[in-house]
Amino acid sequence: MRQFWKLFHSTALTAMVLVILFLSLTTAASVPSDQIFQYIDEHQNEYVERLKDWVAIESDSNDASKRHLVMNMMLLAEERIRKLGGTVEMVDLGMQELPDGNKISLPPAVLGNITKDPKKPTVCFYGHMDVQPAKIEDGWSTEPYTLTEKNGNLYGRGTSDDKGQVLAVLNAIEALQKHELPVNIKILLEGMEEVGSPGLNTLIEQRNSTFFSDVDYIVVTDSSWLSNKPGITYGTRGVGQFFVEVECAKYDLHSGTFGGILHEAMSDLIFLLNTLVDSSGHILIPGIYEAVAPLTEKEKKFYEETEYDPDQIKAKYGIKQFLNKTKEELLMLRSRCPSLSIHGIEGAFSEPGTKTVIPAKVTGKFSIRLAPNMELSVVEKQVTDYLNKKFTERNSPNSIKLTCHRGAKPWLSDTDELQYLAARKAIKRVFGKEADFIRAGGTIPIATQFQDVTRKSIMLLGIGGPDDAAHGQDEKISRNNFIEGTKLYAALLQELAAL
Amino acid sequence: MRQFWKLFHSTALTAMVLVILFLSLTTAASVPSDQIFQYIDEHQNEYVERLKDWVAIESDSNDASKRHLVMNMMLLAEERIRKLGGTVEMVDLGMQELPDGNKISLPPAVLGNITKDPKKPTVCFYGHMDVQPAKIEDGWSTEPYTLTEKNGNLYGRGTSDDKGQVLAVLNAIEALQKHELPVNIKILLEGMEEVGSPGLNTLIEQRNSTFFSDVDYIVVTDSSWLSNKPGITYGTRGVGQFFVEVECAKYDLHSGTFGGILHEAMSDLIFLLNTLVDSSGHILIPGIYEAVAPLTEKEKKFYEETEYDPDQIKAKYGIKQFLNKTKEELLMLRSRCPSLSIHGIEGAFSEPGTKTVIPAKVTGKFSIRLAPNMELSVVEKQVTDYLNKKFTERNSPNSIKLTCHRGAKPWLSDTDELQYLAARKAIKRVFGKEADFIRAGGTIPIATQFQDVTRKSIMLLGIGGPDDAAHGQDEKISRNNFIEGTKLYAALLQELAAL
């Protein structure tokens, strides 16, 4: 008997192991991905039409007078999730105080759930429904809020950042549902990303033990590739926005009447701004590079393998020369090193023509991109101490005021996490290529917020192209990226289920 | 017979001499100035109403979209001169080319004539009907185009510069006409003064042998006093407006994606602007001070006698400290020395809030006030050579373009000319004070143009107060200056007739 049981036991065990092995090896393959890809190809015009409807809504979160349009956009997103059989909660995020002191409602966040099978892993997607400002007078070739297809590209504000990417996720889910959705889906969409996501951090904290508790993977859509080679983003820089204000008088003065007799605010400000960075892009603020994380061998390899063509970028943007020569150096400068950009001056004369004015109060605006492991609070102190010291040396009777706005921490993930493996496999399946592992130069504050609060695995998997002009004129997504990107999200969900 | 004739002759001669003497001594006194002053006092509310109508027209010559309003303003001025019985010619000054390459009509110049008595001297007044830009958002306490009276001041764009001054001249003529206008009047009004008077120099040249041929005195209204003590302006500084453009790319770039890898146009421009002037206001461009005229004893005396209270000005404008201590030093710095002011940057981010942009093309705007005897062509070369040298030292791959716009020569007159004597007397009669002799820090290009072309006696007699904020927020003229100034112009015409 014991022999029998022993035999049975070992046979049963072996069989179980075999079944498990078989299941684990074939889960991904068992899903008919060809059929799903074919379904996506067949429905691509419908997807483009949906994107057209979304782009038509001028959901510019910068402009308070368009807040109702952002609200409309959130409702359109809600409708789409409900059509996928999902449940949706529209979460009130409270009020926003405008610069004039008035208050206005923030658009609600959308929290969506599709299927709830405890046996399946749960993937949470994040995206945003608001867009940057856009006017045809800015130099657009087409109406920014009328999706226009030209030479394989879909032009329009939000096509790439981020409406097109969110819609690709929802379309992928729909396509998978024609057979079976292999994972549980959660969706968080917001309408204020372009102005710093007010209210969102609180929401994540409040829902950490409820909405997020059973989430296994968080995928942020809001990102793009560095070349035509698909990429997975595993790190971003942070940012600190600095305002330095110099005041020399209560009112703007006439440069004829007052020119020559007073310490002008503009020349003090120009002096201060000129102390920040040298001609080689090196930041002159003492200590600023101290906290920057050392380069690892693994990371170095990613830079070597990444597709990034400096000459092509120079030609496209009309840049004469970069600060460094090699692809690897440039990739490192833009992603693992801090940088300082001076954006402009508020309060001075900025229009065409001439104005013989001595501006009374001028505010220089610059930002510092924070590399891992820089801390904004430390940088803020370094900047403040440095500019105060320089201004004291200047010996001007004017007053300065330094403020730091809208900071975001750098973010760095571990590319060995399981969902990165799934994304690599998905990219290989859809595009037949290895993925680039990218550290973005820009800032996705939500990545850090998710990491800090939920402690879940976070990945940025976008489908934007390298030349989509996300915040610029003629923003676009290529039809190819939009449709193949839809397949990528479908394949990712299959691979995650198969892990 | 011979005796008789001799006696008759000498008696007649004596009588003639006596009559001439009597006439010459009493011409000024024979005009009932008290009645005229009383008439002006009694009609002051009507004058304010007229000014209100003029201020209501937003005749901003900087803004091409408001050109029709400048045209309307010229028509209002024409109507007023016609009401004084004058004849008016509206002179077409041709077209203006806008920065975008489009062309737009210049507003016509107004040439007016009132009375034509060859026995009377002819006085030509010059003024302008256009204004500087003004928006309530700039920080005005009242609507800039709604004349508002508060605490004895008439607030509104153009009340002082120059609509109020032109209207005071026309009102003075009207008051004198109730008895008899003692001089012939010519009037030249333009609508593009605030943007450099395009077309006006050609007009003066073309009409030099016609309209200007019988002019004895040219009086420019467009000026103000240094204190509450009335002043006559006998000199102005010139100006050169400089634009330095730096370009680093064809399109604005995202500071996340591109920050750290290229030579940013803004930091090159900030570097260049920082080389222009030191913290003590000293211009760093080599050779710039070489041509400045030496100080004379007579001029030095004017500075000593001029009323100018640095402490009061500091308090009014919220200026902490001037570059020098004594009244005389400050007066010299602002009128007989060059100065350099940085006005602002076009093409960078200048709005409230933040924008993570690397501006592609930025243009720094600065001007240099030219003291007698500086030549703009020399200064332009000095600036160009200096900035090119500095930019070469910078070793940036970006391109710069330096242009000099809207130059005006400095102007200096002789205070011993007859009309200066008449103006002194008129000031003494109306205000009971000696006049200040002023050299203005600002630029009245028309003064130089008149001098160069017509070779007539030129004088600047304005009625603006020292704190009128001509180009700033809350521009005003005091009711007192507006009304007593009207009397001053009436008295001046009487004194000119009596010379």
Side-chain angles (χ1 to χ4, degrees):
Chain A
M1 270 304 270
R2 283 191 58 168
Q3 278 290 335
F4 169 77
W5 276 114
K6 214 169 167 183
L7 182 69
F8 174 80
H9 197 71
S10 82
T11 315
L13 252 176
T14 311
M16 268 173 73
V17 166
L18 281 172
V19 165
I20 289 166
L21 260 174
F22 175 78
L23 280 175
S24 75
L25 282 170
T26 56
T27 309
S30 73
V31 180
S33 71
D34 285 353
Q35 288 174 43
I36 286 160
F37 290 178
Q38 191 185 334
Y39 179 89
I40 291 169
D41 280 331
E42 285 165 3
H43 289 76
Q44 58 175 285
N45 288 338
E46 201 178 323
Y47 299 160
V48 171
E49 280 305 306
R50 285 178 190 168
L51 184 55
K52 188 170 195 166
D53 292 344
W54 278 21
V55 167
I57 312 288
E58 193 177 345
S59 53
D60 172 358
S61 52
N62 265 285
D63 185 345
S65 74
K66 292 181 181 135
R67 186 58 47 87
H68 62 292
L69 297 173
V70 184
M71 303 274 190
N72 287 357
M73 197 60 233
M74 303 316 290
L75 294 174
L76 275 190
E78 180 198 14
E79 187 192 5
R80 185 111 295 277
I81 298 168
R82 286 199 196 280
K83 281 194 176 151
L84 300 176
T87 57
V88 182
E89 185 190 354
M90 303 295 274
V91 187
D92 182 7
L93 297 182
M95 305 295 282
Q96 179 191 12
E97 190 170 325
L98 300 175
D100 64 6
N102 285 328
K103 287 190 171 181
I104 181 173
S105 282
L106 289 167
V110 169
L111 290 183
N113 279 273
I114 305 172
T115 72
K116 260 195 166 171
D117 181 343
K119 293 193 292 296
K120 293 176 178 173
T122 298
V123 185
C124 177
F125 283 96
Y126 159 85
H128 65 90
M129 295 287 98
D130 60 320
V131 294
Q132 282 276 322
K135 286 180 295 199
I136 191 148
E137 307 91 86
D138 296 342
W140 281 68
S141 312
T142 61
E143 278 292 339
Y145 296 100
T146 303
L147 185 138
T148 309
E149 183 157 11
K150 271 197 310 186
N151 306 324
N153 288 320
L154 307 167
Y155 289 92
R157 178 55 93 218
T159 46
S160 182
D161 180 17
D162 182 36
K163 291 175 178 177
Q165 306 200 35
V166 171
L167 196 54
V169 168
L170 299 180
N171 291 337
I173 293 166
E174 188 187 50
L176 287 168
Q177 282 178 329
K178 298 297 154 186
H179 296 85
E180 195 212 343
L181 186 59
V183 294
N184 299 313
I185 296 285
K186 294 205 168 189
I187 300 166
L188 164 57
L189 300 176
E190 66 157 321
M192 293 293 283
E193 193 274 341
E194 298 295 359
V195 289
S197 303
L200 199 72
N201 212 15
T202 310
L203 173 76
I204 297 170
E205 280 166 9
Q206 284 170 349
R207 301 303 176 103
N208 188 31
S209 59
T210 52
F211 183 83
F212 290 103
S213 64
D214 57 355
V215 167
D216 298 293
Y217 310 107
I218 296 177
V219 181
V220 174
T221 63
D222 191 18
S223 78
S224 56
W225 309 344
L226 273 187
S227 67
N228 289 324
K229 194 174 157 204
I232 306 167
T233 301
Y234 73 101
T236 64
R237 291 195 287 187
V239 71
Q241 296 276 5
F242 293 89
F243 287 27
V244 54
E245 176 191 296
V246 186
E247 189 169 0
C248 68
K250 277 193 290 188
Y251 313 99
D252 285 355
L253 304 171
H254 188 293
S255 65
T257 321
F258 286 89
I261 65 173
L262 83 158
H263 301 264
E264 300 186 10
M266 268 300 270
S267 75
D268 280 350
L269 178 61
I270 294 287
F271 165 82
L272 287 175
L273 294 177
N274 193 51
T275 65
L276 295 171
V277 64
D278 72 13
S279 65
S280 69
H282 186 82
I283 304 172
L284 300 169
I285 300 158
I288 203 98
Y289 292 96
E290 274 169 11
V292 176
L295 181 67
T296 65
E297 279 306 311
K298 182 175 160 194
E299 188 193 339
K300 194 158 165 267
K301 201 153 165 284
F302 285 147
Y303 298 124
E304 287 160 9
E305 287 166 357
T306 298
E307 217 171 279
Y308 184 72
D309 183 344
D311 289 332
Q312 201 178 19
I313 293 165
K314 278 199 297 192
K316 179 173 166 57
Y317 292 99
I319 297 164
K320 286 210 185 117
Q321 192 185 302
F322 282 128
L323 288 163
N324 267 290
K325 299 264 189 262
T326 71
K327 176 192 82 171
E328 289 77 9
E329 280 171 335
L330 289 175
L331 283 173
M332 286 193 274
L333 278 176
R334 76 190 283 288
S335 63
R336 63 150 10 262
C337 301
S339 65
L340 189 151
S341 296
I342 303 168
H343 307 300
I345 295 173
E346 184 183 338
F349 179 63
S350 60
E351 284 162 55
T354 58
K355 189 177 180 185
T356 53
V357 67
I358 298 174
K361 186 162 79 175
V362 286
T363 306
K365 301 184 177 185
F366 64 94
S367 66
I368 299 177
R369 295 281 161 179
L370 308 176
N373 303 317
M374 292 168 72
E375 292 275 355
L376 182 57
S377 59
V378 176
V379 170
E380 190 178 349
K381 190 174 179 317
Q382 288 167 335
V383 172
T384 308
D385 290 350
Y386 178 68
L387 284 182
N388 281 332
K389 179 170 167 281
K390 286 287 166 189
F391 195 66
T392 305
E393 284 169 19
R394 172 97 173 154
N395 204 18
S396 164
N398 296 325
S399 54
I400 66 165
K401 202 170 91 185
L402 189 83
T403 40
C404 177
H405 291 232
R406 210 194 140 183
K409 293 200 243 183
W411 164 75
L412 201 57
S413 188
D414 181 352
T415 55
D416 292 334
E417 286 173 9
L418 285 178
Q419 67 169 334
Y420 285 85
L421 181 67
R424 273 180 84 164
K425 283 190 190 166
I427 284 173
K428 192 80 193 267
R429 251 172 71 206
V430 176
F431 299 95
K433 292 179 184 177
E434 283 300 326
D436 274 345
F437 280 92
I438 305 171
R439 284 168 61 163
T443 300
I444 315 284
I446 190 77
T448 329
Q449 287 165 22
F450 279 136
Q451 193 168 51
D452 286 356
V453 178
T454 69
R455 305 277 162 194
K456 308 278 180 183
S457 170
I458 324 286
M459 176 175 71
L460 265 61
L461 184 67
I463 60 168
D467 53 356
D468 283 357
H471 288 199
Q473 299 91 335
D474 291 340
E475 177 179 346
K476 59 97 181 160
I477 193 165
S478 73
R479 182 183 269 258
N480 187 63
N481 274 44
F482 185 49
I483 301 305
E484 298 306 304
T486 304
K487 293 177 191 169
L488 173 57
Y489 287 128
L492 171 73
L493 296 179
Q494 293 178 322
E495 296 295 340
L496 285 171
L499 280 172
Chain B
M1 267 309 266
R2 284 188 62 167
Q3 276 293 335
F4 168 79
W5 278 113
K6 215 171 171 180
L7 183 71
F8 174 80
H9 198 74
S10 80
T11 315
L13 253 176
T14 312
M16 270 174 72
V17 167
L18 282 172
V19 165
I20 290 166
L21 260 173
F22 176 79
L23 282 172
S24 74
L25 283 170
T26 57
T27 310
S30 73
V31 181
S33 71
D34 285 356
Q35 287 176 41
I36 287 160
F37 289 1
Q38 192 186 335
Y39 179 90
I40 292 170
D41 280 331
E42 285 166 6
H43 288 77
Q44 57 174 283
N45 287 339
E46 202 177 322
Y47 301 159
V48 171
E49 281 305 306
R50 286 178 190 169
L51 184 55
K52 187 170 196 166
D53 292 344
W54 279 20
V55 166
I57 313 287
E58 194 176 343
S59 53
D60 171 357
S61 51
N62 264 285
D63 184 345
S65 74
K66 289 178 183 140
R67 187 58 46 86
H68 61 293
L69 297 173
V70 184
M71 303 275 189
N72 286 357
M73 197 59 230
M74 304 316 290
L75 293 173
L76 276 190
E78 180 198 12
E79 186 192 7
R80 185 109 297 276
I81 297 168
R82 287 199 196 281
K83 281 194 177 150
L84 300 176
T87 58
V88 182
E89 187 192 350
M90 303 295 276
V91 187
D92 182 8
L93 297 181
M95 304 295 281
Q96 179 192 10
E97 190 171 327
L98 300 176
D100 63 6
N102 285 328
K103 287 190 171 183
I104 182 174
S105 284
L106 289 167
V110 168
L111 290 182
N113 279 273
I114 305 172
T115 72
K116 259 198 170 165
D117 182 343
K119 294 194 293 294
K120 292 175 177 172
T122 299
V123 185
C124 176
F125 283 97
Y126 160 85
H128 66 90
M129 296 287 96
D130 61 318
V131 295
Q132 282 276 322
K135 287 180 293 199
I136 193 149
E137 307 90 86
D138 295 341
W140 282 67
S141 312
T142 61
E143 278 293 338
Y145 296 101
T146 303
L147 185 137
T148 309
E149 186 159 9
K150 272 197 310 188
N151 307 322
N153 289 319
L154 306 166
Y155 289 92
R157 178 56 91 219
T159 46
S160 182
D161 181 17
D162 181 35
K163 291 175 179 177
Q165 306 202 34
V166 171
L167 196 54
V169 168
L170 298 179
N171 290 337
I173 293 167
E174 188 186 50
L176 287 167
Q177 282 177 328
K178 298 298 156 186
H179 298 86
E180 194 213 341
L181 186 58
V183 294
N184 299 311
I185 297 285
K186 293 204 168 188
I187 300 166
L188 164 56
L189 300 175
E190 65 156 323
M192 293 293 282
E193 194 274 340
E194 299 294 1
V195 289
S197 303
L200 200 71
N201 212 13
T202 309
L203 174 74
I204 297 169
E205 280 166 9
Q206 283 170 350
R207 301 304 176 104
N208 189 30
S209 58
T210 51
F211 183 83
F212 289 104
S213 64
D214 58 354
V215 167
D216 298 295
Y217 310 107
I218 296 176
V219 180
V220 174
T221 62
D222 191 19
S223 79
S224 57
W225 310 343
L226 273 187
S227 67
N228 289 325
K229 194 173 155 205
I232 305 167
T233 302
Y234 73 99
T236 64
R237 290 194 288 188
V239 72
Q241 295 276 5
F242 294 89
F243 287 27
V244 53
E245 178 191 295
V246 186
E247 190 169 357
C248 68
K250 278 193 289 187
Y251 313 99
D252 285 356
L253 304 170
H254 190 292
S255 66
T257 321
F258 286 89
I261 66 172
L262 82 159
H263 300 263
E264 300 187 10
M266 268 300 270
S267 76
D268 280 350
L269 178 62
I270 294 288
F271 165 80
L272 287 175
L273 294 177
N274 193 50
T275 66
L276 295 171
V277 65
D278 72 13
S279 66
S280 70
H282 186 82
I283 304 172
L284 299 169
I285 300 158
I288 203 99
Y289 292 96
E290 274 168 12
V292 176
L295 181 67
T296 66
E297 278 307 310
K298 184 175 158 192
E299 188 194 338
K300 194 159 166 265
K301 201 154 167 280
F302 286 146
Y303 298 124
E304 286 160 11
E305 286 166 358
T306 297
E307 219 173 278
Y308 184 73
D309 184 344
D311 288 333
Q312 202 178 16
I313 294 164
K314 279 198 299 195
K316 178 173 166 57
Y317 291 99
I319 297 163
K320 286 210 184 116
Q321 190 185 302
F322 282 128
L323 289 163
N324 265 291
K325 297 264 188 263
T326 73
K327 176 190 82 172
E328 288 76 10
E329 281 171 335
L330 289 174
L331 282 172
M332 288 192 276
L333 278 176
R334 76 191 282 288
S335 62
R336 65 154 5 266
C337 300
S339 65
L340 190 152
S341 296
I342 302 167
H343 307 300
I345 295 173
E346 184 183 337
F349 178 63
S350 60
E351 283 162 57
T354 57
K355 188 177 179 185
T356 52
V357 67
I358 297 174
K361 185 162 80 175
V362 287
T363 306
K365 300 185 178 186
F366 64 94
S367 66
I368 300 177
R369 296 281 162 179
L370 308 175
N373 303 317
M374 292 167 73
E375 292 276 354
L376 182 57
S377 59
V378 176
V379 171
E380 190 178 347
K381 189 172 180 320
Q382 288 167 336
V383 172
T384 309
D385 290 351
Y386 178 68
L387 285 182
N388 281 333
K389 180 170 167 280
K390 287 287 167 189
F391 196 65
T392 305
E393 285 169 19
R394 173 96 171 156
N395 204 19
S396 164
N398 296 326
S399 54
I400 66 163
K401 202 170 89 185
L402 188 82
T403 40
C404 177
H405 289 232
R406 210 193 141 189
K409 293 200 246 182
W411 163 73
L412 203 56
S413 186
D414 180 353
T415 54
D416 292 334
E417 286 173 9
L418 284 178
Q419 67 167 335
Y420 284 85
L421 181 66
R424 274 179 86 165
K425 283 189 189 168
I427 285 173
K428 192 79 193 265
R429 251 172 73 205
V430 176
F431 299 95
K433 291 179 184 175
E434 283 300 326
D436 274 346
F437 279 91
I438 304 170
R439 284 168 63 164
T443 300
I444 317 286
I446 191 75
T448 330
Q449 289 166 21
F450 279 136
Q451 193 168 53
D452 287 356
V453 179
T454 68
R455 305 279 162 192
K456 308 278 179 184
S457 171
I458 323 286
M459 177 176 71
L460 266 61
L461 185 67
I463 59 169
D467 52 355
D468 283 358
H471 288 198
Q473 299 93 332
D474 291 339
E475 178 180 346
K476 59 95 179 157
I477 193 166
S478 73
R479 183 184 269 259
N480 186 62
N481 274 44
F482 184 47
I483 301 306
E484 298 305 305
T486 305
K487 293 177 191 169
L488 172 57
Y489 287 127
L492 171 72
L493 295 178
Q494 293 178 322
E495 294 296 339
L496 284 171
L499 280 172

